[in-house]
């Protein structure tokens, strides 16, 4: 995701890791992976927007609504 966002905004991004936010070693879940197959099977749901288009739309929305965010707390 970070690589895709970096590509869309045309900047290099660096992921910073905060130890207090990392799952503990004893956590039962080490990796979260999304798979919409069950939603497709049970509900007939299918994504109507590609990941790239969805990210682009989200980035554009955030850029147009920066007053809703504490942008000084984030670094790009």
């Amino acid at each position: 995701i970070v690589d895709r966002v970096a590509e869309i905004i045309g900047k290099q991004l660096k992921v910073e890791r905060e130890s207090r936010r990392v799952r503990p070693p004893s956590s039962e879940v080490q990796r979260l992976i999304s798979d919409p197959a069950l939603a497709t099977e049970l509900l007939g749901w299918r994504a109507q927007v590609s990941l790239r288009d969805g990210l682009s739309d989200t980035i554009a929305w955030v850029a147009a609504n920066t007053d809703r965010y504490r942008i000084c707390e984030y670094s790009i």
Side-chain angles (χ1 to χ4, degrees):
I1 299 279
V2 173
D3 290 341
R4 294 268 177 108
V5 170
E7 178 186 315
I8 293 166
I9 66 173
K11 293 185 178 184
Q12 288 187 339
L13 301 177
K14 177 184 173 190
V15 175
E16 294 185 12
R17 186 178 182 142
E18 291 184 34
S19 59
R20 66 184 175 88
R21 298 185 71 184
V22 175
R23 291 181 182 274
S26 61
S27 174
E28 72 281 3
V29 179
Q30 292 297 316
R31 207 167 160 197
L32 301 174
I33 300 173
S34 175
D35 181 357
L38 186 58
T40 300
E41 180 184 328
L42 296 178
L43 307 172
W45 179 88
R46 291 198 186 282
Q48 296 185 11
V49 177
S50 70
L51 177 61
R52 181 175 176 66
D53 288 348
L55 289 172
S56 292
D57 291 349
T58 301
I59 290 165
W61 188 91
V62 170
N65 293 279
T66 56
D67 58 313
R68 297 178 180 221
Y69 294 90
R70 298 180 310 253
I71 57 174
C72 61
E73 294 180 24
Y74 307 102
S75 62
I76 293 181

